[in-house]
Amino acid sequence: MDIFLDQFFNLAIMQKAIPLLLKGAWMTLQLCVAVILLGLVGGLFVALGNLSPRRWVRWPTIVYTDVFRALPPLVLLIFIYSGLPFAGIKVSPFTAVVIAFLLNNSSYYAEVYRAGLISVAKGQWEAAASTGLSRTQSLIHVVLPQAVRNVLPDLLSNTVEVVKLTSLASVISLSELLYSADMARSVTYNASPLVLAALFYLVLLWPLVRLVSHFQRRLAA
């Protein structure tokens, strides 16, 4: 028991690792903000393209959604960071993560948005048009708020998964939370920094998980 506590819950080592993990947590937060915001915006445009009556718009966005939902995000990440330099395109680790996750996450967000837009009755479009709103104004002020409300638990649940996926950035040595914890582990020869990183993720994600459950119960009621 003492060996287990010393290897996984060594408070002295955790205390020394906190400054390094805080820097990693800050990088993780920056990464999350960039990836989530770009994914939400990109996903909305892809979803609108999927529902477009114009085939030249609809089919490319459908292919985009299918392809990047099928490709593992880790494969995308390694290809962008390690593969593109062979074509003369070199990007920083942060940029590589943002691009890879944008391609992957926007395709998932697009499917959630599409489900929300389909769930809004066509009569809402007609009612908005009858008040003199253009199609774009109807979308922004009438349809989209209803669509987002209908799929809010799914959007939040997908966002939780996005935050978890940021840990993949450690593969390309981006100094985010998991990478920082692993560096502390390699120096101390102790797993306590990894346990501390898990606690950081728990603090970060637990409120979002509870929020998802709250909205799911409200919709069910």
Side-chain angles (χ1 to χ4, degrees), residues 44 113 116-117 119-120 124-125 128 133 135-152 155 219:
L44 177 58
Y113 278 126
L117 291 167
S119 70
V120 178
Q124 295 295 316
W125 288 97
L133 295 177
R135 188 167 180 81
T136 301
Q137 290 172 327
S138 299
L139 172 67
I140 295 173
H141 299 294
V142 179
V143 176
L144 190 57
Q146 296 181 63
V148 170
R149 184 174 65 247
N150 290 343
V151 295
L152 188 56
L155 286 174
L219 285 178

Side-chain angles (χ1 to χ4, degrees), residues 85-160:
F86 288 98
I89 304 172
K90 188 173 183 179
V91 295
S92 68
F94 186 89
T95 303
V97 175
V98 170
I99 294 173
F101 286 5
L102 168 62
L103 295 173
N104 180 261
N105 297 327
S106 61
S107 62
Y108 282 95
Y109 279 126
E111 285 297 285
V112 176
Y113 278 126
R114 188 174 69 86
L117 291 167
I118 291 174
S119 70
V120 178
K122 291 183 179 180
Q124 295 295 316
W125 288 97
E126 296 169 357
S130 68
T131 63
L133 295 177
S134 67
R135 188 167 180 81
T136 301
Q137 290 172 327
S138 299
L139 172 67
I140 295 173
H141 299 294
V142 179
V143 176
L144 190 57
Q146 296 181 63
V148 170
R149 184 174 65 247
N150 290 343
V151 295
L152 188 56
D154 294 321
L155 286 174
L156 290 173
S157 181
N158 197 69
T159 299
V160 171

Side-chain angles (χ1 to χ4, degrees), residues 17-99:
I18 284 177
L20 181 61
L21 265 64
L22 284 176
K23 290 181 180 179
W26 174 239
M27 175 60 71
T28 294
L29 287 174
Q30 294 179 70
L31 193 58
C32 288
V33 170
V35 169
I36 291 170
L37 288 180
L38 289 173
L40 285 169
V41 174
L44 177 58
F45 282 104
V46 174
L48 293 174
N50 285 349
L51 297 174
S52 173
R54 299 178 178 86
R55 289 186 179 182
W56 62 271
V57 174
R58 185 171 68 253
W59 283 109
T61 56
I62 291 174
V63 171
Y64 174 95
T65 303
D66 289 346
V67 168
F68 289 111
R69 286 180 70 199
L71 285 175
L74 184 56
V75 173
L76 277 173
L77 177 57
I78 293 176
F79 173 77
I80 291 171
Y81 183 70
S82 301
L84 290 183
F86 288 98
I89 304 172
K90 188 173 183 179
V91 295
S92 68
F94 186 89
T95 303
V97 175
V98 170
I99 294 173

Side-chain angles (χ1 to χ4, degrees), residues 134-218:
S134 67
R135 188 167 180 81
T136 301
Q137 290 172 327
S138 299
L139 172 67
I140 295 173
H141 299 294
V142 179
V143 176
L144 190 57
Q146 296 181 63
V148 170
R149 184 174 65 247
N150 290 343
V151 295
L152 188 56
D154 294 321
L155 286 174
L156 290 173
S157 181
N158 197 69
T159 299
V160 171
E161 296 304 316
V162 171
V163 177
K164 292 178 184 178
L165 282 175
T166 58
S167 61
L168 294 178
S170 61
V171 173
I172 60 171
S173 301
L174 180 65
S175 56
E176 45 74 64
L177 181 55
L178 180 59
Y179 182 82
S180 299
D182 195 45
M183 289 297 99
R185 176 205 56 78
S186 66
V187 171
T188 61
Y189 299 98
N190 191 286
S192 297
L194 295 175
V195 174
L196 185 58
L199 293 175
F200 272 58
Y201 279 113
L202 183 62
V203 170
L204 180 63
L205 290 172
W206 184 78
L208 278 176
V209 171
R210 295 306 308 157
L211 196 59
V212 170
S213 299
H214 169 72
F215 282 113
Q216 285 175 334
R217 287 195 299 270
R218 285 191 60 182

